[in-house]
Amino acid sequence: MRSDKDGIAHLSINRPDKLNALNVEVFTELNAHLVALEAQADKIGCVVLRGAGRCFSAGHDLKDIATGEKLPRPNFQAHVIERLANLPQPVVTAVHSHCYTGALELALAGDVILASENAKFADTHAKWALTPVWGMSQRLPRRVGKSKAMEMMLTARTYSGREAERMGLCNICFADDAFEASVEDFCRAMLANSWFSLRANKKLLRDSDGLSLDAGLAHEIYNSEGVGPDMAARIGGFGKK
C-alpha cells in the first residue's frame, strides 16, 4: 500500500491480520510500487517502508514456504529487495515491534533504519533449518560488523530497539509514543536538503562500497555528480540571511 505526502512516499506492508507476514503477493505489490518510484525521483524525495498495524513484519510467511511458493521468476524476493535498495531516493525503514528474519532482510535494504523502543529484531533462519537467500549474510555484517552478525545468525536471539541502536543495526531508536512523529520529522529534515545531493550522495556510497581507500577516493573525484541545479539559489539564499 502506498501513500504520498510532501515528497515522502510511504510504502506499508498491509497484512495486519497476519502480522504482515511476507508472501509472494506482498512482494509483487512492492515491486510494482518500486518500478513506479524509480521514475519519480523529481516528485518523491524519500521512501519510507513500514508495516501496517501492530508490527513491521513477523517475517517470511512460513505457510507459504510449507505449501510451496509460485514465484514469477527465480529468486524473485531477492530481486525485489535489491530493487528497493537501489532506488535513487533515500530509503528509510521504520520498524516497530516484530522484525524477524525475512523482514529483517527487507529492512536492511533501507539506507537508514529507524526503530521504536518496542522493536524486536532477530534472524531466526537457524531456528527453522533455513539459510538466507534474501541478503542477510551480506547486508547484516555490513551494518553491524561480522562478529555481531555471526552472533545474531547463530543464536537466533531477539534484540530490542535500544540494543539495535547500540550495535548500529538501527540508526536511531525513538520512544514508542513518539515514533510516528519522529520518523516524519526525520524525513522532513532530510528533505529540507537538496534532493539532488541526497540522490548523488547515496549513489556515491553505493557505487564505492567495498573499494579500497585509494580506489574510493578516485571514484569520488571522477564519478561525483558535481553541482546540483539548486546550488546557486541555496547559496544565494544563505547570503541574504
Side-chain angles (χ1 to χ4, degrees), residues 193-203 226-228 230 234:
N193 296 313
S194 168
W195 292 18
F196 165 85
S197 294
L198 298 181
R199 297 192 298 267
N201 289 344
K202 173 175 176 173
K203 188 174 188 302
V227 173
D230 50 345
R234 284 178 173 270

Side-chain angles (χ1 to χ4, degrees), residues 83-94:
R83 172 165 261 157
L84 174 66
N86 289 332
L87 280 177
Q89 304 95 329
V91 176
V92 174
T93 312

